[in-house]
Amino acid sequence: EKIKERGALQFEINLQDDYVKFFRLCEEKISSSKIGVLGLITNNGYLSTPTLRGMRDSILETFSSMWVLDLHGHVAKGEIGPDGAQEENVFDIVQGVSVFLGERTQLKTGDGAVLHAERYGSRTGKYSFLQSHDRNLTNFAAIEPSPPFYLFVPHDADLALEWKQYVGLAELFPKNSAGIITARDGLVIAENKRELAERLERFSHAKGAEDSIYEEFGFSASKRFDLREAQSELRRLKSFSEPIRRMLHRPFDERFVFFNRSVVWSLSRPMADQMEDGKNLALVATRQVTRPQFEHAYVSRHIIEIKACSHDRNTQIFPLFICGSDGELALSSGATPNLNPAVLTKLAKALGLKLNSSTRQLGKDDELSPLRLFNFAYAILHCPSYRERYFEFLRSDFPRLPLTGNLELFRALARLGGELTALHLLESPKLAQPITEFIGSRPPEVEKISWSKNTVWIDKAQTIGFQGVREDVWNFHIGGYQVCQKWLKDRKGRTLTKDDLAHYQKIVVALTETIRLMAEIDAVIGQHGGWPGAFTAGASATVT
């Protein structure tokens, strides 16, 4: 089946990887002879990468039996083993590794059998295992790859069926897009709009050797970028302020980007138009997760950077409303919900509510509005038991949402999701009351970030910092980013202003409340039957 997602470019890039080509070459030899044995040590990305599902399907058709030993060790992703220890690779590379053994017999019929085993830990431990084990001594477990992803990693077939009955984010929000890839952050991103405009104007007139220009503006040369042509295009602009847009750069960290194709590698102008005025609302999520837990859901009123909600995976933006009634993503006076109308209609019927798609507000208590559904979805994505139960699917798929006909459950989750949304947008009234105090007599220059005694220290001597930060708040992650550390780390060497101090204190309140609300979401679902009972027929009317 043709790859249809907007990440098709990544699909083409994956197919150009040498190990994929060698896999196909070997597969072709085996297929033509109709019998044979293959052993390959390769990149382990093909085991679960969504855009290589066609490759896995083809391998299933070719071989009678397959044995996959996943040696993990994806250093580039910061992969962590089940025991919480950092992974080591069997080679001096940053990409995870796996061993593939496949055989084809003349009696082959249908898809082949797949057996899976894995090893985590140190390089020495993996070497020792490989030295002392062969195929027969290794404890392989049978797995059953199934459409649409044909995963070569363990997954529960019954749980997979349960998962597929839910509504995927791309199905619920038909219009969506990947975030911006700047390829040159040092040039096109800044915290100050005026500073950014002046920087780009200065860059457009910069003369001298190209290497010195790259060094001055903090980025490197690339094959896809013609510096002189970019400068020429910029000099034709009437204004260096007009292209600038506010952008979600990292969780709780908005910045400005010079939104122009002459200097930004990849951008979606139609989607950016939907978020331009800061009044729209968008869900932010990723398709793949490399960390040992799912924490890759966020919210924004602005366009997003490609790593806004993941330290190593691409982030997708799902606007709640689309402006324009002509079917195009163009601005006009009207706005329609970017929600699947069939899902909206069925959900309203199951809940016994009137459907009100014309409001951007919550609407009346007897109405189902787009914002209520958005808040409900946001609560689900922050449910700890949801994240744990479906983690094996969240590792390689966009989140899927269970809908419900239980009005009490829906209202409770929508309320909690609404609170989370307001907190993460820093719009909640709860943020007006700080729970931390900045202590110390020195200027608040960020030198070295650490935590001890419920205090986030920003200097080496641990004399100045934010007092009143619990350990679980300090350790809280969104998209692989340890938020309390990351925000400060990105400002290392800078003296924090009063606004900076107030912003950080709001982050601490938001994370403290998030932890509380996540536990409450879990408790509410538990009170209504837990997973999947709270969302299945009998307890409620599931809508798919």
Side-chain angles (χ1 to χ4, degrees), residues 36-161:
V37 177
L38 172 65
L40 287 176
I41 303 172
T42 73
N43 178 324
N44 70 353
Y46 76 96
L47 299 179
S48 60
T49 297
T51 49
L52 288 180
R53 58 182 180 264
M55 173 182 174
R56 293 188 289 274
D57 186 25
S58 179
I59 292 172
L60 288 170
E61 293 176 358
T62 299
F63 293 94
S64 306
S65 299
M66 290 146 278
W67 294 262
V68 174
L69 175 59
D70 189 352
L71 296 171
H72 295 283
H74 202 317
V75 179
K77 296 179 180 177
E79 187 175 14
I80 299 173
D83 60 355
Q86 199 74 24
E87 269 293 282
E88 292 184 5
N89 200 296
V90 292
F91 302 123
D92 292 330
I93 60 175
V94 297
Q95 169 65 50
V97 175
S98 67
V99 179
F100 176 89
L101 301 173
E103 68 175 16
R104 181 187 177 105
T105 66
Q106 290 179 326
L107 300 177
K108 181 186 186 319
T109 57
D111 286 347
V114 182
L115 294 101
H116 177 278
E118 57 189 345
R119 296 295 297 181
Y120 288 95
S122 67
R123 175 184 292 191
T124 302
K126 292 174 183 177
Y127 280 178
S128 176
F129 175 86
L130 293 166
Q131 187 81 32
S132 59
H133 287 70
D134 58 18
R135 192 192 71 181
N136 293 326
L137 289 176
T138 302
N139 185 24
F140 284 98
I143 59 176
E144 298 181 8
S146 59
F149 293 109
Y150 303 100
L151 297 175
F152 278 20
V153 293
H155 59 281
D156 185 316
D158 291 336
L159 200 61
L161 182 60

Side-chain angles (χ1 to χ4, degrees), residues 350-419:
L351 292 170
L353 297 175
K354 300 174 185 176
L355 179 59
N356 184 351
S357 300
S358 61
T359 179
R360 291 195 181 211
Q361 307 305 316
L362 282 176
K364 299 177 181 178
D365 287 344
D366 63 346
E367 293 178 339
L368 173 63
S369 66
L371 183 55
R372 284 192 194 277
L373 178 53
F374 184 98
N375 291 342
F376 169 82
Y378 205 57
I380 293 291
L381 296 179
H382 284 82
C383 173
S385 54
Y386 167 87
R387 294 179 169 192
E388 180 179 356
R389 181 178 181 84
Y390 301 111
F391 177 67
E392 65 181 84
F393 309 108
L394 291 166
R395 288 194 303 180
S396 57
D397 192 6
F398 279 124
R400 301 180 72 85
L401 300 170
L403 303 181
T404 180
N406 185 323
L407 184 57
E408 181 183 353
L409 173 62
F410 177 84
R411 283 177 170 165
L413 292 178
R415 175 183 60 81
L416 295 170
E419 290 187 46

Side-chain angles (χ1 to χ4, degrees), residues 215-349:
E215 183 177 357
E216 178 184 354
F217 291 93
F219 68 105
S220 305
S222 67
K223 293 180 180 179
R224 295 173 179 259
F225 182 70
D226 187 315
L227 187 147
R228 300 307 180 188
E229 183 179 339
Q231 288 181 311
S232 177
E233 290 183 19
L234 288 172
R235 287 194 294 269
R236 290 195 289 269
L237 293 177
K238 295 180 180 179
S239 167
F240 282 88
S241 297
E242 191 281 328
I244 295 177
R245 301 284 187 274
R246 188 179 288 273
M247 175 184 72
L248 177 67
H249 185 249
R250 298 292 182 264
F252 299 104
D253 193 351
E254 292 179 359
R255 302 195 181 186
F256 291 98
V257 61
F258 194 82
F259 197 76
N260 187 283
R261 291 190 185 279
S262 62
V263 287
V264 173
W265 185 69
S266 175
L267 52 82
S268 172
R269 182 166 294 280
M271 194 57 64
D273 288 341
Q274 303 307 309
M275 310 300 298
E276 185 172 9
D277 62 3
K279 296 179 181 179
N280 204 348
L281 185 63
L283 186 64
V284 180
T286 59
R287 182 171 194 165
Q288 287 180 287
V289 175
T290 57
R291 286 178 54 77
Q293 62 272 330
F294 175 81
E295 55 202 22
H296 300 68
Y298 201 61
V299 66
S300 179
R301 290 201 183 278
H302 306 283
I303 55 177
I304 65 169
E305 200 267 343
I306 195 71
K307 295 292 190 294
C309 192
S310 175
H311 72 296
D312 65 348
R313 299 285 91 183
N314 292 347
T315 305
Q316 202 85 355
I317 183 169
F318 301 84
L320 181 56
F321 293 96
I322 293 294
C323 296
S325 57
D326 55 0
E328 298 294 328
L329 292 180
L331 282 176
S332 74
S333 59
T336 57
N338 180 33
L339 294 168
N340 187 320
V343 174
L344 269 177
T345 301
K346 289 181 180 179
L347 179 59
K349 183 178 180 180

Side-chain angles (χ1 to χ4, degrees), residues 14-50:
N14 288 339
L15 284 182
Q16 292 302 318
D17 200 314
D18 283 346
Y19 89 92
V20 176
K21 296 179 182 179
F22 275 107
F23 231 120
R24 180 59 188 158
L25 174 65
C26 297
E27 187 186 357
E28 189 71 18
K29 293 290 185 183
I30 298 286
S31 296
S32 61
S33 64
K34 295 184 173 56
I35 189 168
V37 177
L38 172 65
L40 287 176
I41 303 172
T42 73
N43 178 324
N44 70 353
Y46 76 96
L47 299 179
S48 60
T49 297

